[in-house]
Amino acid sequence: MNVSFRWVRDVAPGIGLGPDRAMERLALRGAPVEEVVDLAAGLKDIVIGRVLEAGPHPNADRLTLCRVAGPDGEVPVVCGAPVVRVGAYYPFAPVGAVLPGGFRIGRRKIRGSYSEGMLCSERELELGEDHAGIMLLEGQYEVGAPFAASVGLDDVRMDVEVTPNRGDLLSHVGIARELHPAGQDGIALPPFPGGRGEPAASFARGAAEAASAGCRIHIEDPELCSRYLGAVIRGVTVGPSPAWLADRLRAAGARPINNVVDATNYVMLELGQPLHAFDLEKLADATIVVGRARPGESLVTLDDETRAVTPDMLMIRDAVQPVAIAGVMGGRDSEVSEGSSDILLECALFEPRKVRATRRALAMSTDASYRFERGVDPVTMEAAVLRAVSLILATAGGTLDGEIIDAHPRPWVPAVVSLRPSRVSHVLGVDFAPEAIAELLVPLGYAVEVAGADRLDVTVPGHRTYDTLREVDLIEEVARTHGYDAFPEVMSAARSGTVPDHPLFQLEDRLRDLLAANGISEAQTPALGPKRHGDVALLNPMSQDEGHLRRDRLPGLLTHVERNMSRGVRDVRLFEIGTAFAPSDDGPPIESSRVAVALTGGRTPPHWSSGAEPFDIHDIAGVLGLIAREACPDAAVVPAGVRAGGRAGGRASAPAGGQAQRLFAPGRCYELVSGGGEVVGWGGQVRPEMMDLPPWAGAVVGAEVVLPAVPPRKPDVTARDLPDQPAVQRDLAFLVPVGTAAGEVLDAARMAAGRLLETADVFDVYEGEDLPPGTRSVALRLRFRARGRTLTDREVDKTCRRVVRTVKEKTGVEPRR
Amino acid sequence: MLPAARGFVIEDLKRLEADALREVRTARDPRELEEVRVRYLGRRDGMVSRCLRRLGGLSAEERPAAGAEANRVKGAVDKALQERGAALSLDGASDQDGPDLTLPARSGWQGTIHPVSRVIDDIWSIFRSLGFTRARGPEVDTEWYNFVALNTPLDHPAADEQDTLYLSPGLLLRSHTSPVQIRTMEQHSPPIRIVAPGMVYRRDTYDATHTPAFAQIEGLVVDEGVTFVDFKATLAEFARRFWGPGTRVRFRPSFFPFTEPSAEVDVKRIIVREDGREEETDWIEIMGAGMVDPAVLDNVGYDSERYTGWAFGMGPARVALLRHGVRDLRLFYENDMRFLGQFR
């Protein structure tokens, strides 16, 4: 809501607040000011000038040569306007002045004549679009006085943030009521310049139907329109509004159109009541029918759009067709324009939900619909229509014909809400006596009556009809008016809650710490992605690139690896914890929390002591194991494809199915398989063609793990005693042909080594020219230990011979001699 | 073998010992010391080793004495070498031949936790100390949980405040974490004392202050005798613990359909400028909050006459933005290693 502070002061004369205090008070009353514009900021150099002489420029047809009285006496001024009125006052920019656009006025010679200053147009002062002529100021002014203050433009415009429940604040009176210490009682609407005061009007009242001045109003649907006031004004002269009116509208951020339309906008901005003026001659049979649209109808609205309307929408119709969408926008063909003479002024009350549904269905929003949706004060309707009539009579002339027509099928009955002072204390934690409550509520317009030992009956004023319906609404009013700052801050003893801390948060926290400690940085990427990344589509996406919910997190994370590399960052280590979405046959998609990791570049930071090795597939196997230990301790990292009929410990022939595995190069892909045989994670080297990478890019490896929805408790570790005997270590090297997996050799060795084996590791893999072609040397380090006794060399040697034998039997691999 | 041979071996050993010990003493650095070791104790050509090999030529009577002497010499030289080695390596610290301690240290990569996650962690750890636990709910939810149960009729303008992304009619991406309030209360009885961090979605385009997906953290307290005074006190205490003891906290009336009275909470922090002077910031809006609307309690079957409560919602990304002086929210979601790497 754009508020002109000058306007607020005009409707609440005793307000006694400057703009700064007003802003603070509004903030503390629930309507903070988001932006303040000093409307006169660009006009500080502009003064009042008076034209003493004006005549044609000797050397140019289209220029006028004037003598202007300004702050420094009389100066010659060359003016581009063809008509300059002698004796009149204009905004004048003397030499040295800076216009709102930043242009500095200098002493210039124009076609042989000196010009020492400039008479300004509205556009040059950024006050309007009109640049046809310079801005003539009607009335008497002091020459040389500041222009802005002289014409009432020294104003600030505040953009007040009004919450959806406070439709009553969408007007200057509403804001003033909130600011004035006396509230509603502090409001006094000023008379209009040149006005004749409020017209002595009477009302032709009826229920669903009323008529006067040859005009009939009929409400077909009282549920959607409880009241419709119509005033017939004949003989208006439609033209530009006087400057004071145009300035006032501009100060409140509205655009002046013509004196009739401006009058309706003025009253809407002042009182919050949307009004509409019809050209009466365009209404068939001078009839207004408030009723539903007929099937197949359409209407061209004021904005020149053809709107197809449907029978669930409420229309204002004449005897033949719709002429306005009720509470939203008028029709183009019945609008008031230059030639209009007789008008019908509408002041109606429409049902908020219907206005909202209609304007949403039509994908539009107007100042009127915005107010109707939030609720318009039923009590000020008569005042609003009278104010608009007197303003039109003052600015456009004409006469009010007959009585004001008042079709009022559903009278408004003020709500009475019961309030228990005990409940106020129960919710707010501070005791309020009935008198104290009354003192807080009455200035807001509420009437408070004691109705029992612990009961106040509170009558709600019209402007709060829509948001004060229940006891708790009044409790809020008490708190708000008392001032939130006035409440003490005392923490009382709290009982523990019944909700256990969700274990998935705990798991996610551990993973975050673990991965960060391993040198990987946390990323956050949106769950929204393009179609190729998701199976669950959005109905109303912002763009196609964000039209689907991701089925996996790793592909999204990889795009961030790409982005880093496109910026020349070579070492990228990112992880992310986020939700993935899988479609379900009926109902919402199935969500799972995922952790995704992507690594590329050097495994260690560059250091003078050694060259950096790049990340490879074995790193991602390690990361999978790291995550698995926290997330799913019973799961194992296995080369992909093994479950699908591959040999135990063997190399994968191709990645097993699954969307994610298509990311990875064949034979360079792992799966994380749970104890139940379910694939709960995958990782590998990303196929280069899946990414858009610079030529210098090395391997990118990535992994993703599905976190359990409710992670089980991690089993407690049962500690083992430290060994009491020394271990015996033996190294055995094998010549493993290409195509035979080291894992098979290790598995066979483990099996053969039996109970005495403590650990078995691969400690060296070597390929070299001194080995038979097609083989590599895989060296195992076996560590043996027996409980309670020292192992003998004989025992260990015997076991090692068995290992060599078994490996050969099981895998055909020979020891390296 | 001649007796002279025996005498020669032992004499030889003694002379070697004296020479070796002298050379050990005078070695100036580990490299020279190593040369000494190789010269005397080297396995193949070391002089002591060669003497030892000559023992094989002695008679059975002579061999034990000579062998014992050889071993004694070997041990003595070895000990001297070790002592001198230790001394030299310490001396080396001040020597030009020692390691250059000004070279960059060796370390592994350091990972960082996302600044928005950190803010959530910090918020959570304060609420944990105030007796809260964490609850979660789905990111795709229904209009009932996202709006209706939260006292937000779909035909009310309040539903416009959050332009919502839909999957199908009635099914949406939650536009706030508040549905977790409803789901938690449906499954648990009072007292409720939870926070609920999570991602939420709005129909916003990316700009300096908006992203279509962002984190939010919700809080909910419901019990008997919970009042506006507790509400103010707890959130003010949180704010002072989060932003520092000198922080001022302001509660302003506002409107949320699911709380009444509703409030916006602002803080004014004390910041220390570069010149060391303390300065107060402007009021910064940090969260929306309020007393739980009785209609919300009724919707989950709680007795709203008996139970009262309060709730809050805040945006950790905005807090992170202010905390780190980040001017554009998008930086948090570009995941540039150079940006993330700053938050160690």
Side-chain angles (χ1 to χ4, degrees), chain A residues 353 473 492 495 539-540 579, chain B residues 139 166 203 223 230 260:
Chain A
R353 289 190 170 85
D473 301 327
S492 52
R495 296 199 287 172
L539 209 55
N540 57 339
T579 306
Chain B
E139 293 176 16
Y166 276 85
R203 218 167 164 274
D223 199 0
D230 300 317
E260 186 151 23

Side-chain angles (χ1 to χ4, degrees), chain B residues 148-193:
Chain B
V148 183
L150 289 161
N151 197 34
T152 313
L154 294 164
D155 54 6
H156 191 275
D160 279 358
E161 299 268 293
Q162 306 162 357
D163 211 349
T164 309
L165 288 163
Y166 276 85
L167 275 67
S168 60
L171 196 64
L172 45 79
L173 278 165
R174 65 180 178 190
S175 58
H176 48 186
T177 39
S178 307
V180 181
Q181 289 189 19
I182 304 296
R183 289 180 173 276
T184 303
M185 287 192 284
E186 279 180 348
Q187 286 158 21
H188 300 270
S189 335
I192 299 288
R193 208 168 167 81

Side-chain angles (χ1 to χ4, degrees), chain A residues 24 27-32 161-165 352-353 356 359-360 373-374 420 423 425-430 467 470-476 479-480 484-492 494-502 504-506 508-509 512-513 515-528 536-542 546 549 553 560 563-564 567 569 571-575 578-579 581 587-589 591 593 602-610 615, chain B residues 103-114 116-117 121 124 130-131 133-140 151 153-161 163-169 171 173 184 188-197 199 201-206 212-213 215 223-230 232-234 236-237 240-241 249-255 259-264 285 291 293-295 304-308 332-338 340-341:
Chain A
E24 194 188 330
L28 293 177
R29 287 300 196 100
E161 187 189 333
V162 177
T163 52
N165 60 325
R353 289 190 170 85
R356 176 174 163 78
R359 72 109 190 129
R360 276 173 70 94
E373 275 184 64
R374 285 157 178 77
R420 291 165 293 169
R423 183 72 185 173
S425 312
H426 186 76
V427 173
L428 298 183
V430 170
D467 79 311
R470 304 171 300 161
E471 186 178 47
V472 68
D473 301 327
L474 288 170
I475 293 173
E476 177 172 61
R480 194 173 70 87
Y484 285 6
D485 283 352
F487 285 85
E489 286 170 12
V490 184
M491 248 202 281
S492 52
R495 296 199 287 172
S496 302
T498 57
V499 184
D501 193 45
H502 199 292
L504 185 49
F505 282 123
Q506 298 173 5
E508 289 172 349
D509 284 352
R512 243 181 223 114
D513 289 343
L515 292 168
N518 276 275
I520 312 171
S521 289
E522 189 189 8
Q524 287 195 356
T525 75
L528 305 171
V536 179
L538 294 182
L539 209 55
N540 57 339
M542 290 299 291
E546 298 167 327
L549 293 173
R553 300 301 301 211
H560 289 266
R563 186 190 296 216
N564 269 284
R567 293 171 173 188
V569 180
D571 296 315
V572 186
R573 301 164 317 283
L574 291 174
F575 78 90
T579 306
F581 301 82
E591 297 180 24
S593 185
R603 245 157 127 178
T604 51
H607 194 254
W608 51 268
S609 62
S610 60
F615 280 114
Chain B
L103 282 169
R106 184 183 291 126
S107 68
W109 289 116
Q110 254 198 287
T112 54
I113 289 182
H114 196 279
V116 175
S117 292
D121 283 351
W124 153 237
L130 295 170
T133 53
R134 285 172 297 184
R136 60 196 294 154
E139 293 176 16
V140 172
N151 197 34
L154 294 164
D155 54 6
H156 191 275
D160 279 358
E161 299 268 293
D163 211 349
T164 309
L165 288 163
Y166 276 85
L167 275 67
S168 60
L171 196 64
L173 278 165
T184 303
H188 300 270
S189 335
I192 299 288
R193 208 168 167 81
I194 56 149
V195 291
M199 292 305 284
Y201 301 85
R202 305 242 174 113
R203 218 167 164 274
D204 280 328
T205 39
Y206 281 93
D223 199 0
E224 290 173 6
V226 174
T227 70
F228 192 74
V229 170
D230 300 317
K232 267 191 77 180
T234 313
E237 176 64 17
R240 283 188 295 268
R241 289 197 199 176
V249 188
R250 177 171 86 168
F251 292 75
R252 278 187 291 113
S254 188
F255 170 75
T259 52
E260 186 151 23
S262 298
E264 294 277 359
E285 195 177 307
M291 300 297 292
D293 194 296
S304 61
E305 274 293 302
R306 182 175 165 197
Y307 295 108
T308 46
F332 284 137
Y333 303 104
E334 285 180 1
N335 300 307
D336 191 303
M337 291 298 292
R338 296 163 299 181
L340 297 176

Side-chain angles (χ1 to χ4, degrees), chain B residues 31-49:
Chain B
R31 189 178 45 79
E32 276 186 26
L33 193 64
E34 176 62 10
E35 285 169 10
V36 175
R37 189 190 67 77
V38 171
R39 188 148 58 247
Y40 290 95
L41 299 185
R43 198 164 282 194
R44 259 179 47 202
D45 300 322
M47 287 187 275
V48 176
S49 308

Side-chain angles (χ1 to χ4, degrees), chain A residues 5-264:
Chain A
F5 190 64
R6 193 176 250 271
W7 197 340
V8 168
R9 274 201 301 225
D10 284 355
V11 298
I15 198 164
L17 293 170
D20 290 345
R21 288 276 314 286
M23 278 163 51
E24 194 188 330
R25 188 171 162 89
L26 281 173
L28 293 177
R29 287 300 196 100
V33 173
E34 289 195 322
E35 197 192 355
V36 185
V37 180
D38 180 355
L39 295 173
L43 301 175
K44 61 182 177 15
D45 294 345
I46 313 300
V47 296
I48 299 289
R50 188 176 189 196
V51 176
L52 302 176
E53 293 167 19
H57 191 285
N59 304 324
D61 291 346
R62 303 183 66 87
L63 297 180
T64 310
L65 185 56
C66 312
R67 282 198 76 70
V68 174
D72 311 316
E74 295 172 20
V75 291
V77 172
V78 175
C79 180
V83 182
V84 180
R85 201 200 294 172
V86 175
Y89 298 89
Y90 292 94
F92 178 61
V95 169
V98 178
L99 295 182
F103 181 75
R104 179 180 286 277
I105 304 295
R107 183 170 184 265
R108 288 167 61 203
K109 199 171 188 180
I110 301 170
R111 298 272 180 115
S113 302
Y114 279 104
S115 182
E116 299 180 11
M118 181 172 142
L119 297 170
C120 305
S121 71
E122 284 185 15
R123 185 147 113 168
E124 282 150 356
L125 299 180
E126 295 185 353
L127 294 173
E129 295 301 307
D130 189 357
H131 61 115
I134 50 178
M135 185 176 176
L136 176 68
L137 303 174
E138 300 287 359
Q140 296 291 314
Y141 295 90
E142 184 193 334
V143 166
F147 162 72
S150 301
V151 299
L153 285 173
D154 55 336
D155 196 358
V156 290
R157 178 164 64 225
M158 302 173 176
D159 182 2
V160 181
E161 187 189 333
V162 177
T163 52
N165 60 325
R166 293 299 303 275
D168 65 300
L169 293 182
L170 295 172
S171 69
H172 285 77
V173 162
I175 298 287
R177 195 163 43 211
E178 202 66 47
L179 287 174
H180 198 287
Q184 178 69 46
D185 291 343
I187 305 298
L189 300 184
F192 302 118
R196 288 166 280 171
E198 201 165 275
S202 58
F203 291 82
R205 308 207 192 257
E209 191 163 330
S212 179
C215 181
R216 190 180 70 96
I217 294 170
H218 175 65
I219 299 176
E220 285 183 350
D221 207 331
E223 289 303 310
L224 300 183
C225 174
S226 57
R227 191 177 193 185
Y228 195 112
L229 289 162
V232 176
I233 304 172
R234 299 196 188 269
V236 296
T237 308
V238 177
S241 286
W244 73 264
L245 178 54
D247 289 343
R248 179 130 289 185
L249 290 176
R250 282 193 212 101
R255 188 170 57 94
I257 296 166
N258 63 45
N259 45 13
V260 173
V261 173
D262 291 353
T264 61

Side-chain angles (χ1 to χ4, degrees), chain A residues 119 153 224 284 288 294 372 386 410 432 451 525 543 618 696:
Chain A
L119 297 170
L153 285 173
L224 300 183
I288 289 287
R294 312 282 187 258
F372 279 120
L386 291 173
R410 231 159 29 94
F432 286 88
T525 75
S543 71
H618 305 292
W696 45 260

